[in-house]
mmCIF file of all heavy atoms in Angstrom:
data_model
loop_
_atom_site.group_PDB
_atom_site.id
_atom_site.type_symbol
_atom_site.label_atom_id
_atom_site.label_comp_id
_atom_site.label_asym_id
_atom_site.label_seq_id
_atom_site.Cartn_x
_atom_site.Cartn_y
_atom_site.Cartn_z
ATOM 1 N N CYS I 354 -13.923 23.015 2.200
ATOM 2 C CA CYS I 354 -14.422 24.190 1.466
ATOM 3 C C CYS I 354 -13.281 24.671 0.586
ATOM 4 O O CYS I 354 -12.313 25.262 1.080
ATOM 5 C CB CYS I 354 -14.857 25.286 2.427
ATOM 6 S SG CYS I 354 -16.191 24.745 3.477
ATOM 7 N N GLY I 355 -13.412 24.383 -0.677
ATOM 8 C CA GLY I 355 -12.285 24.607 -1.571
ATOM 9 C C GLY I 355 -12.188 26.008 -2.133
ATOM 10 O O GLY I 355 -12.951 26.903 -1.760
ATOM 11 N N ARG I 356 -11.237 26.131 -3.038
ATOM 12 C CA ARG I 356 -10.997 27.365 -3.770
ATOM 13 C C ARG I 356 -10.380 28.462 -2.904
ATOM 14 O O ARG I 356 -10.389 29.614 -3.238
ATOM 15 C CB ARG I 356 -12.317 27.858 -4.387
ATOM 16 C CG ARG I 356 -12.169 28.581 -5.699
ATOM 17 C CD ARG I 356 -11.349 27.855 -6.690
ATOM 18 N NE ARG I 356 -10.776 28.806 -7.653
ATOM 19 C CZ ARG I 356 -9.671 28.601 -8.319
ATOM 20 N NH1 ARG I 356 -8.985 27.493 -8.145
ATOM 21 N NH2 ARG I 356 -9.219 29.485 -9.167
ATOM 22 N N LYS I 357 -9.903 28.095 -1.731
ATOM 23 C CA LYS I 357 -9.189 29.072 -0.916
ATOM 24 C C LYS I 357 -7.757 29.139 -1.454
ATOM 25 O O LYS I 357 -7.200 28.142 -1.868
ATOM 26 C CB LYS I 357 -9.142 28.603 0.536
ATOM 27 C CG LYS I 357 -10.472 28.645 1.239
ATOM 28 C CD LYS I 357 -10.648 29.981 1.947
ATOM 29 C CE LYS I 357 -12.010 30.123 2.551
ATOM 30 N NZ LYS I 357 -13.107 30.327 1.634
ATOM 31 N N GLU I 358 -7.219 30.302 -1.420
ATOM 32 C CA GLU I 358 -5.808 30.452 -1.784
ATOM 33 C C GLU I 358 -4.974 29.758 -0.705
ATOM 34 O O GLU I 358 -5.136 30.055 0.472
ATOM 35 C CB GLU I 358 -5.472 31.942 -1.822
ATOM 36 C CG GLU I 358 -4.077 32.210 -2.270
ATOM 37 C CD GLU I 358 -4.040 32.611 -3.744
ATOM 38 O OE1 GLU I 358 -4.694 31.979 -4.595
ATOM 39 O OE2 GLU I 358 -3.338 33.558 -4.019
ATOM 40 N N LEU I 359 -4.137 28.830 -1.112
ATOM 41 C CA LEU I 359 -3.280 28.169 -0.113
ATOM 42 C C LEU I 359 -1.936 28.872 -0.084
ATOM 43 O O LEU I 359 -1.465 29.372 -1.096
ATOM 44 C CB LEU I 359 -3.065 26.709 -0.491
ATOM 45 C CG LEU I 359 -4.281 25.794 -0.538
ATOM 46 C CD1 LEU I 359 -3.830 24.388 -0.901
ATOM 47 C CD2 LEU I 359 -5.024 25.791 0.780
ATOM 48 N N HIS I 360 -1.295 28.852 1.075
ATOM 49 C CA HIS I 360 0.049 29.419 1.152
ATOM 50 C C HIS I 360 1.001 28.374 1.723
ATOM 51 O O HIS I 360 0.589 27.494 2.492
ATOM 52 C CB HIS I 360 0.049 30.691 2.011
ATOM 53 C CG HIS I 360 -0.613 30.502 3.342
ATOM 54 N ND1 HIS I 360 0.015 29.915 4.402
ATOM 55 C CD2 HIS I 360 -1.876 30.797 3.762
ATOM 56 C CE1 HIS I 360 -0.815 29.854 5.423
ATOM 57 N NE2 HIS I 360 -1.967 30.378 5.068
ATOM 58 N N GLY I 361 2.257 28.474 1.363
ATOM 59 C CA GLY I 361 3.259 27.524 1.849
ATOM 60 C C GLY I 361 3.391 27.599 3.357
ATOM 61 O O GLY I 361 3.073 28.623 3.973
ATOM 62 N N ALA I 362 3.826 26.491 3.979
ATOM 63 C CA ALA I 362 3.979 26.460 5.441
ATOM 64 C C ALA I 362 4.974 25.363 5.804
ATOM 65 O O ALA I 362 5.320 24.513 4.970
ATOM 66 C CB ALA I 362 2.631 26.191 6.095
ATOM 67 N N SER I 363 5.428 25.374 7.043
ATOM 68 C CA SER I 363 6.232 24.265 7.558
ATOM 69 C C SER I 363 5.276 23.240 8.135
ATOM 70 O O SER I 363 4.492 23.573 9.029
ATOM 71 C CB SER I 363 7.175 24.761 8.659
ATOM 72 O OG SER I 363 8.214 25.484 8.069
ATOM 73 N N VAL I 364 5.331 22.045 7.618
ATOM 74 C CA VAL I 364 4.377 21.009 8.033
ATOM 75 C C VAL I 364 5.118 19.695 8.265
ATOM 76 O O VAL I 364 6.227 19.502 7.774
ATOM 77 C CB VAL I 364 3.270 20.800 6.966
ATOM 78 C CG1 VAL I 364 2.314 21.971 6.928
ATOM 79 C CG2 VAL I 364 3.879 20.570 5.589
ATOM 80 N N GLU I 365 4.449 18.797 9.000
ATOM 81 C CA GLU I 365 5.106 17.534 9.323
ATOM 82 C C GLU I 365 4.263 16.355 8.865
ATOM 83 O O GLU I 365 3.074 16.271 9.185
ATOM 84 C CB GLU I 365 5.323 17.450 10.837
ATOM 85 C CG GLU I 365 6.131 16.229 11.196
ATOM 86 C CD GLU I 365 6.304 16.030 12.686
ATOM 87 O OE1 GLU I 365 5.911 16.924 13.465
ATOM 88 O OE2 GLU I 365 6.824 14.959 13.043
ATOM 89 N N ALA I 366 4.896 15.447 8.118
ATOM 90 C CA ALA I 366 4.218 14.208 7.715
ATOM 91 C C ALA I 366 4.207 13.275 8.918
ATOM 92 O O ALA I 366 5.249 13.053 9.535
ATOM 93 C CB ALA I 366 4.970 13.559 6.564
ATOM 94 N N THR I 367 3.017 12.740 9.243
ATOM 95 C CA THR I 367 2.968 11.806 10.371
ATOM 96 C C THR I 367 2.583 10.400 9.923
ATOM 97 O O THR I 367 2.560 9.473 10.709
ATOM 98 C CB THR I 367 1.961 12.286 11.447
ATOM 99 O OG1 THR I 367 0.715 12.538 10.806
ATOM 100 C CG2 THR I 367 2.443 13.554 12.129
ATOM 101 N N ASP I 368 2.245 10.249 8.661
ATOM 102 C CA ASP I 368 2.029 8.915 8.089
ATOM 103 C C ASP I 368 2.279 9.007 6.589
ATOM 104 O O ASP I 368 2.415 10.106 6.043
ATOM 105 C CB ASP I 368 0.611 8.389 8.391
ATOM 106 C CG ASP I 368 -0.480 9.216 7.745
ATOM 107 O OD1 ASP I 368 -0.843 8.898 6.602
ATOM 108 O OD2 ASP I 368 -0.957 10.184 8.352
ATOM 109 N N LEU I 369 2.352 7.839 5.951
ATOM 110 C CA LEU I 369 2.770 7.780 4.546
ATOM 111 C C LEU I 369 1.880 8.605 3.608
ATOM 112 O O LEU I 369 2.344 9.531 2.940
ATOM 113 C CB LEU I 369 2.796 6.301 4.129
ATOM 114 C CG LEU I 369 2.866 5.950 2.664
ATOM 115 C CD1 LEU I 369 4.088 6.565 2.012
ATOM 116 C CD2 LEU I 369 2.886 4.434 2.495
ATOM 117 N N ARG I 370 0.605 8.273 3.528
ATOM 118 C CA ARG I 370 -0.246 8.958 2.530
ATOM 119 C C ARG I 370 -0.590 10.371 2.988
ATOM 120 O O ARG I 370 -0.821 11.248 2.152
ATOM 121 C CB ARG I 370 -1.519 8.157 2.256
ATOM 122 C CG ARG I 370 -1.282 6.706 1.851
ATOM 123 C CD ARG I 370 -0.432 6.535 0.623
ATOM 124 N NE ARG I 370 -0.078 5.125 0.437
ATOM 125 C CZ ARG I 370 0.761 4.675 -0.474
ATOM 126 N NH1 ARG I 370 1.384 5.503 -1.303
ATOM 127 N NH2 ARG I 370 1.026 3.391 -0.562
ATOM 128 N N GLY I 371 -0.629 10.582 4.292
ATOM 129 C CA GLY I 371 -0.816 11.944 4.796
ATOM 130 C C GLY I 371 0.365 12.807 4.373
ATOM 131 O O GLY I 371 0.195 13.982 4.017
ATOM 132 N N GLY I 372 1.555 12.232 4.372
ATOM 133 C CA GLY I 372 2.757 12.962 3.928
ATOM 134 C C GLY I 372 2.656 13.308 2.449
ATOM 135 O O GLY I 372 2.984 14.432 2.026
ATOM 136 N N ALA I 373 2.166 12.348 1.649
ATOM 137 C CA ALA I 373 1.996 12.614 0.211
ATOM 138 C C ALA I 373 0.996 13.748 0.007
ATOM 139 O O ALA I 373 1.164 14.599 -0.881
ATOM 140 C CB ALA I 373 1.516 11.345 -0.495
ATOM 141 N N ALA I 374 -0.043 13.769 0.862
ATOM 142 C CA ALA I 374 -1.052 14.832 0.763
ATOM 143 C C ALA I 374 -0.412 16.194 0.982
ATOM 144 O O ALA I 374 -0.758 17.170 0.292
ATOM 145 C CB ALA I 374 -2.158 14.596 1.795
ATOM 146 N N LEU I 375 0.538 16.285 1.913
ATOM 147 C CA LEU I 375 1.184 17.573 2.180
ATOM 148 C C LEU I 375 1.967 18.036 0.954
ATOM 149 O O LEU I 375 1.965 19.224 0.620
ATOM 150 C CB LEU I 375 2.099 17.470 3.404
ATOM 151 C CG LEU I 375 1.405 17.037 4.707
ATOM 152 C CD1 LEU I 375 2.416 16.983 5.854
ATOM 153 C CD2 LEU I 375 0.254 17.973 5.047
ATOM 154 N N ALA I 376 2.622 17.083 0.281
ATOM 155 C CA ALA I 376 3.369 17.449 -0.933
ATOM 156 C C ALA I 376 2.403 17.928 -2.017
ATOM 157 O O ALA I 376 2.655 18.936 -2.696
ATOM 158 C CB ALA I 376 4.192 16.257 -1.428
ATOM 159 N N VAL I 377 1.277 17.230 -2.178
ATOM 160 C CA VAL I 377 0.287 17.618 -3.197
ATOM 161 C C VAL I 377 -0.238 19.032 -2.909
ATOM 162 O O VAL I 377 -0.305 19.884 -3.799
ATOM 163 C CB VAL I 377 -0.884 16.592 -3.235
ATOM 164 C CG1 VAL I 377 -2.053 17.115 -4.058
ATOM 165 C CG2 VAL I 377 -0.392 15.249 -3.783
ATOM 166 N N ALA I 378 -0.545 19.303 -1.637
ATOM 167 C CA ALA I 378 -1.052 20.631 -1.281
ATOM 168 C C ALA I 378 0.034 21.689 -1.489
ATOM 169 O O ALA I 378 -0.244 22.772 -2.019
ATOM 170 C CB ALA I 378 -1.528 20.634 0.170
ATOM 171 N N ALA I 379 1.267 21.362 -1.108
ATOM 172 C CA ALA I 379 2.364 22.341 -1.215
ATOM 173 C C ALA I 379 2.602 22.740 -2.671
ATOM 174 O O ALA I 379 2.929 23.895 -2.964
ATOM 175 C CB ALA I 379 3.637 21.754 -0.613
ATOM 176 N N LEU I 380 2.408 21.790 -3.595
ATOM 177 C CA LEU I 380 2.610 22.100 -5.018
ATOM 178 C C LEU I 380 1.577 23.111 -5.514
ATOM 179 O O LEU I 380 1.854 23.892 -6.432
ATOM 180 C CB LEU I 380 2.521 20.817 -5.859
ATOM 181 C CG LEU I 380 3.669 19.822 -5.641
ATOM 182 C CD1 LEU I 380 3.311 18.460 -6.230
ATOM 183 C CD2 LEU I 380 4.970 20.335 -6.250
ATOM 184 N N GLY I 381 0.398 23.083 -4.890
ATOM 185 C CA GLY I 381 -0.664 24.002 -5.315
ATOM 186 C C GLY I 381 -0.704 25.276 -4.496
ATOM 187 O O GLY I 381 -1.543 26.137 -4.744
ATOM 188 N N ALA I 382 0.172 25.378 -3.495
ATOM 189 C CA ALA I 382 0.160 26.554 -2.609
ATOM 190 C C ALA I 382 1.154 27.594 -3.109
ATOM 191 O O ALA I 382 2.170 27.250 -3.714
ATOM 192 C CB ALA I 382 0.517 26.124 -1.190
ATOM 193 N N ILE I 383 0.865 28.853 -2.823
ATOM 194 C CA ILE I 383 1.791 29.912 -3.220
ATOM 195 C C ILE I 383 2.887 30.017 -2.161
ATOM 196 O O ILE I 383 2.598 30.018 -0.957
ATOM 197 C CB ILE I 383 1.043 31.274 -3.299
ATOM 198 C CG1 ILE I 383 -0.154 31.174 -4.255
ATOM 199 C CG2 ILE I 383 1.983 32.419 -3.700
ATOM 200 C CD1 ILE I 383 0.199 30.897 -5.693
#
Side-chain angles (χ1 to χ4, degrees):
C354 298
R356 212 50 204 154
K357 290 268 174 288
E358 184 100 315
L359 297 181
H360 51 80
S363 286
V364 288
E365 186 184 353
T367 52
D368 64 90
L369 165 58
R370 306 302 171 187
L375 301 180
V377 168
L380 292 165
I383 304 296

